[in-house]
């Protein structure tokens, strides 16, 4: 089959570590399919980086054996007006760019914004191409929950209309969180959108690549090599949305001197949190800075406990698809989640524990229990983590995608 993967942010992962589209593409190509990723030329969460340096509207590249078609869009930083322009640029120009390419058999169109996804689905319907909608974010629900926008807001009503068109016009819909069909029921759409139309493919991990990187990309670090420490590792962006400051509060409640929090990542809150830890004499937290993705397998595998930290969210009732969860699982070490969540892969796989309370003291108590945990119990978590990761290997996830495509052709 000839397959297009349309995803606004899916530049090659060395620029922005969104591995899902590239890992799908790699495995689909190995299975004999002809795959092209179509994305904006801009790099999300960068300093306005654009992979098209000239005025050309489209650029074709091949990266790691994967063909990409990049559409030139307005560079942006943060969530200001230029990001809105960037989103509209991509969805507006997408049909014209697609007309330049040989038509595929299948289009998989992703909702990191609804305009892009709908443009891809609409294009597929126009030309009789099999249309798969991949729902990475529930729009406009994320605006209602995180931006406190009113249901009666004209923008919300407009986006809800687009959202429903995506669901009704796609041949199949793929959710990335296990409980998201419950959202369809909440909207009262289940009669016209039966559960049989929906599939579920979470994010995952390339186990083979993870193991290779763990062995070949080692980051020397005295804390990681110190067997006298109990190393609690967090990896991820250090931005307001991730509430990494909450980890400092947990660390202040730790009484066991063997425990040390090792935080890898960068972001606009890094310097302020480093200063805060110094000002408040929080000596059991070390900010290690940002590293390339290829070093994460070694870091997480050297942890004694990998820490899945986040702010509580109403969206978690549908499940989660955090990429870091799968890095943690593949590391084969226990995982602690400090947020309430349904359909949590960690808990479903018995790969760790969760503290539903956001109270820092309660989280600290649970972390301290891991330090002196019975070795058999501890090793059981380790084995379960690794076994769960294998269930989310992208070879398996790609087979699921192909089965969904085949089912509607």
């Amino acid at each position: 089959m000839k397959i297009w993967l349309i995803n606004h942010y899916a530049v090659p992962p060395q620029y922005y570590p969104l591995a899902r589209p590239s890992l799908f593409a790699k495995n689909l190509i190995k299975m004999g399919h002809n795959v092209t990723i179509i994305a904006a030329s801009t790099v999300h969460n960068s300093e306005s980086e654009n992979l098209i340096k000239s005025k050309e509207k489209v650029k074709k590249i091949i990266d790691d054996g994967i063909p990409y078609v990049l559409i030139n869009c307005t560079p942006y930083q943060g969530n200001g007006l230029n990001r809105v322009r960037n989103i509209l640029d991509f969805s507006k120009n997408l049909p014209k760019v697609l007309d330049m390419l040989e038509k595929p058999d299948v289009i998989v169109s992703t909702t990191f914004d609804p305009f892009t996804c709908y443009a891809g689905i609409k294009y597929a319907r126009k030309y009789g191409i099999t249309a798969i909608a991949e729902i990475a974010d529930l729009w406009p629900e994320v605006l209602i929950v995180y931006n406190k926008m009113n249901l009666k807001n004209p923008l919300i009503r407009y986006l809800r209309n687009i959202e429903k068109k995506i669901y009704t016009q796609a041949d199949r819909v793929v959710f990335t969180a296990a409980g998201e069909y419950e959202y369809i029921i909440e909207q009262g759409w289940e009669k016209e959108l039966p559960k049989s139309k929906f599939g579920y493919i979470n994010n995952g991990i390339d186990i083979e690549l993870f193991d290779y990187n763990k062995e070949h990309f080692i980051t020397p670090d005295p804390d990681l090599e110190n067997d006298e420490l109990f190393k609690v590792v967090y990896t991820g962006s250090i931005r307001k949305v991730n509430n990494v400051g909450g980890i400092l509060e947990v660390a202040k409640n730790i009484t066991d001197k063997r425990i040390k929090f090792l935080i890898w990542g960068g972001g606009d809150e890094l310097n302020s949190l480093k200063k805060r830890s110094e000002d408040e004499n929080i000596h059991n937290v070390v900010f290690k800075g940002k590293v390339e993705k290829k070093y994460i397998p070694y870091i997480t595998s050297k942890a004694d406990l990998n820490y899945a930290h986040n702010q509580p969210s109403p969206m978690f009732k549908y499940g989660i698809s955090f990429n870091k969860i799968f890095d943690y699982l593949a590391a084969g070490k226990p995982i602690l989640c400090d947020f309430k969540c349904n359909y949590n892969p960690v808990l479903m796989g018995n790969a760790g524990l969760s503290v539903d309370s956001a109270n820092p003291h309660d989280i600290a108590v649970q972390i301290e229990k891991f330090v002196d945990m019975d070795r058999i119990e501890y090793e059981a978590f380790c084995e379960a983590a690794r076994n769960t990761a294998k269930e989310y290997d992208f070879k398996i996830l790609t087979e699921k995608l192909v089965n969904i495509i085949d089912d509607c052709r």
Side-chain angles (χ1 to χ4, degrees), residues 175-182 195 200 202 318-320 342-343 348:
F175 284 131
T176 56
E180 287 182 325
Y181 188 73
E182 295 173 16
K195 194 171 184 178
Y200 158 62
N202 209 313
Y318 306 119
I320 53 172
N342 296 333
Y343 310 100
M348 293 170 72

Side-chain angles (χ1 to χ4, degrees), residues 116-154:
T116 292
C117 184
Y118 181 54
I121 299 302
K122 187 177 179 181
Y123 188 90
R125 298 294 294 185
K126 179 179 178 181
Y127 290 100
I129 299 164
T130 298
I132 308 295
E134 184 184 52
I135 310 302
D137 285 315
L138 291 171
W139 288 82
E141 194 68 14
V142 290
L143 295 178
I144 296 167
V145 170
Y146 294 118
N147 294 75
K148 310 298 182 186
M149 295 185 72
N150 192 289
L151 288 170
K152 296 181 180 179
N153 185 298

Side-chain angles (χ1 to χ4, degrees), residues 9-65:
Y9 300 134
V11 294
Q14 71 262 32
Y15 300 106
Y16 179 59
L18 177 66
R20 183 182 178 97
S22 63
L23 289 173
F24 272 144
K26 273 188 181 181
N27 284 287
L28 287 167
I29 290 169
K30 286 179 182 177
M31 295 168 72
H33 301 291
N34 183 335
V35 182
T36 300
I37 293 176
I38 300 161
S41 62
T42 44
V43 179
H44 188 52
N45 282 345
S46 70
E47 300 294 322
S48 299
E49 185 174 2
N50 194 330
L51 300 184
I52 298 179
K53 307 301 181 184
S54 64
K55 293 184 179 180
E56 61 183 322
K57 294 181 179 180
V58 182
K59 184 176 183 179
K60 296 181 181 180
I61 63 172
I62 295 178
D63 188 277
D64 199 19

Side-chain angles (χ1 to χ4, degrees), residues 240-260:
K240 185 176 181 180
V241 68
N242 299 104
N243 187 32
V244 177
I247 297 178
L248 298 185
E249 293 301 321
V250 175
K252 287 162 66 173
N253 280 270
I254 293 289
T255 58
D256 192 321
K257 301 300 182 185
R258 295 170 292 177
I259 296 173
K260 201 166 197 177

Side-chain angles (χ1 to χ4, degrees), residues 1 3 80-81 95 99-101 106-107 118 121 133 137 168 199 221 273 285 288 308 315 324-325 336 354:
M1 289 184 290
I3 303 170
L81 184 58
D99 277 338
M100 298 164 52
L101 308 175
V106 180
I107 291 176
Y118 181 54
I121 299 302
D137 285 315
T168 55
D221 185 275
L273 290 179
V285 176
K288 299 291 186 176
M315 301 299 292
K324 73 178 68 177
I325 289 287
L336 178 69
S354 176

